[in-house]
Amino acid sequence: MPRTLITGGAGFLGSHLCDRFIAEGHEVVCMDNFITGSPDNVAHLVGHERFDLVRHDVSNYVYVAGDLDYILHFASPASPIDYLKLPIQTLKVGALGTHNLLGLAKAKGARFLLASTSEVYGDPEVHPQQETYWGNVNPVGFRGVYDEAKRFAEAITMAYHRYHGVETRIVRIFNTYGPRMRLDDGRALPAFMGQALRGEPITVFGDGSQTRSFQYVDDLMEGIYRLLMSDETEPVNIGNPDELSIKAFAEEVVALTGSSSTITYQPLPADDPQVRQPDITKAREVLGWSPQVDRAEGLRRTLDYFREAVAEQATA
Ligand code: NAD
Ligand code: UDP
């Protein structure tokens, strides 16, 4: 039975990974310090004979007893408001955390997968973004704490691969949404869903002409699983290329929820990328992967979760 360590396993994406690897028959060790995640996200797995939940900050030395076959490093604040609030922790988990987990992978002979991000492309001057693009990041800007941490994480991952022969994989994840996102994590979808369901104004930053390309979480899980099991050691984009403006996205959420909310415009955060769209040619060719859930369907699947979250918040 394969044994898999998932760091950040109590977060949005990590908890879906725990579900996926349990379903694949793995023994799963979920490690998290709950800084932006919650044990609630994996409460349904606690007590499962193949699931262990360990509270630990992976920026400190990581000890795991026994064998490990796979390590998926997802621990890191991920939402802009989280990493702007937690700049040092974000830099540490991307740098020291990644170093610790690569050391663990080397010691255990485990395959290591890094959760990287479309943010390594920064505010891109090439559109759509291919893996060969080196990016346009302001190292001393506010977002630099996240972008540069992930760029360092990619660099040290490749160094462990080339110098120590560790088996490594790097997934560059584009904006992903689905159940278990924190209602107040500040990302566009939770913010818009919460506001629409409460009948509050929808806060669009800037004039809303900046674009993003949103993928449903199940598509990402499939892409990650295929990448992990493949031989590809160079970074691979996983995202849904269906791009739209943030204003259009806000209007879609209002229409979906049947809300009477209107849009209010607020200042654009510093260094907010103007465009973003993955080129997924490589994922198609190397992994045979492409997104299966379009935005209309993905948003419908997510709506019930946000309805419940808003209702819970109202009674709390
Ligand atoms: P999240 O905040 O829901 O999950 C991150 C988890 O990591 C949380 O449970 C948090 O408590 C944990 N964590 C943070 N620092 C830690 C530390 N030092 N030690 C142990 N645990 C720690 O965010 P998410 O959206 O699930 O993102 C997960 C990963 O995917 C991150 O690495 C993020 O950079 C990457 N990613 C996500 C997206 C996206 O759209 N969701 C896009 C690109 C990359
Ligand atoms: N955004 C917005 N209103 C919000 C939250 C986000 O207009 O309440 C914008 C944000 O400025 C960005 C886009 O939506 O242009 C996506 O933001 P998110 O935080 O979801 O992801 P990221 O910027 O990391 O792609």
Side-chain angles (χ1 to χ4, degrees):
M1 187 194 305
R3 188 155 183 259
T4 299
L5 171 66
I6 299 174
T7 76
F12 161 47
L13 296 181
S15 63
H16 286 276
L17 280 175
C18 290
D19 287 340
R20 175 68 189 248
F21 282 83
I22 288 285
E24 295 288 345
H26 292 224
E27 195 178 323
V28 170
V29 181
C30 167
M31 188 172 278
D32 204 296
N33 66 351
F34 310 131
I35 195 168
T36 59
S38 163
D40 293 348
N41 288 330
V42 288
H44 58 290
L45 294 174
V46 172
H48 191 291
E49 57 182 6
R50 286 187 281 110
F51 183 77
D52 256 331
L53 177 59
V54 179
R55 181 177 198 151
H56 182 67
D57 179 342
V58 300
S59 297
N60 300 319
Y61 183 82
V62 179
Y63 172 78
V64 176
D67 293 339
L68 279 177
D69 300 288
Y70 302 102
I71 298 174
L72 290 93
H73 180 32
F74 276 66
S76 171
S79 150
I81 64 161
D82 286 341
Y83 61 71
L84 296 177
K85 230 181 334 187
L86 302 164
I88 313 290
Q89 286 93 330
T90 302
L91 282 157
K92 283 175 74 176
V93 75
L96 309 180
T98 305
H99 184 214
N100 289 335
L101 291 155
L102 282 163
L104 184 67
K106 177 168 160 261
K108 303 278 187 189
R111 187 175 291 181
F112 174 88
L113 182 141
L114 173 70
S116 186
T117 167
S118 53
E119 284 278 331
V120 298
Y121 303 122
D123 191 1
E125 290 165 322
V126 170
H127 192 67
Q129 294 77 55
Q130 283 184 335
E131 289 88 348
T132 48
Y133 177 47
W134 292 357
N136 176 37
V137 172
N138 175 5
V140 295
F142 288 100
R143 290 174 90 104
V145 298
Y146 180 69
D147 301 6
E148 296 295 7
K150 291 290 184 180
R151 288 166 67 97
F152 174 87
E154 286 198 8
I156 194 171
T157 297
M158 290 311 292
Y160 264 69
H161 174 64
R162 293 183 181 129
Y163 186 73
H164 287 308
V166 173
E167 282 192 51
T168 58
R169 307 287 182 265
I170 298 174
V171 56
R172 289 188 181 152
I173 302 167
F174 283 66
N175 297 64
T176 305
Y177 66 94
R180 302 191 193 141
M181 293 184 98
R182 250 174 41 235
L183 194 53
D184 62 350
D185 86 358
R187 287 185 267 202
L189 185 66
F192 295 168
M193 281 276 193
Q195 291 158 349
L197 291 168
R198 290 187 297 258
E200 294 168 358
I202 309 286
T203 53
V204 166
F205 299 160
D207 63 4
S209 64
Q210 71 273 28
T211 68
R212 293 294 187 272
S213 308
F214 294 92
Q215 78 177 323
Y216 187 64
V217 62
D218 288 2
D219 282 331
L220 174 65
M221 293 300 119
E222 183 61 28
I224 289 169
Y225 191 78
R226 288 187 189 209
L227 174 60
L228 183 67
M229 298 305 162
S230 78
D231 293 330
E232 183 59 50
T233 54
E234 298 283 323
V236 179
N237 290 339
I238 297 287
N240 189 326
D242 187 4
E243 179 185 8
L244 85 170
S245 74
I246 290 301
K247 180 168 183 278
F249 191 48
E251 288 164 351
E252 275 190 10
V253 173
V254 170
L256 174 78
T257 52
S259 167
S260 57
S261 292
T262 53
I263 291 178
T264 163
Y265 294 93
Q266 296 191 355
L268 190 68
D271 299 329
D272 198 285
Q274 268 308 304
V275 291
R276 184 179 289 157
Q277 187 199 123
D279 181 322
I280 57 165
T281 309
K282 189 171 178 183
R284 283 186 201 279
E285 288 178 1
V286 176
L287 310 178
W289 175 90
S290 60
Q292 303 298 309
V293 183
D294 67 19
R295 206 170 46 249
E297 173 61 19
L299 288 179
R300 265 196 303 276
R301 291 192 198 175
T302 309
L303 179 58
D304 282 348
Y305 162 77
F306 279 113
R307 275 214 176 97
E308 230 169 88
V310 167
E312 264 173 36
Q313 199 181 49
T315 51

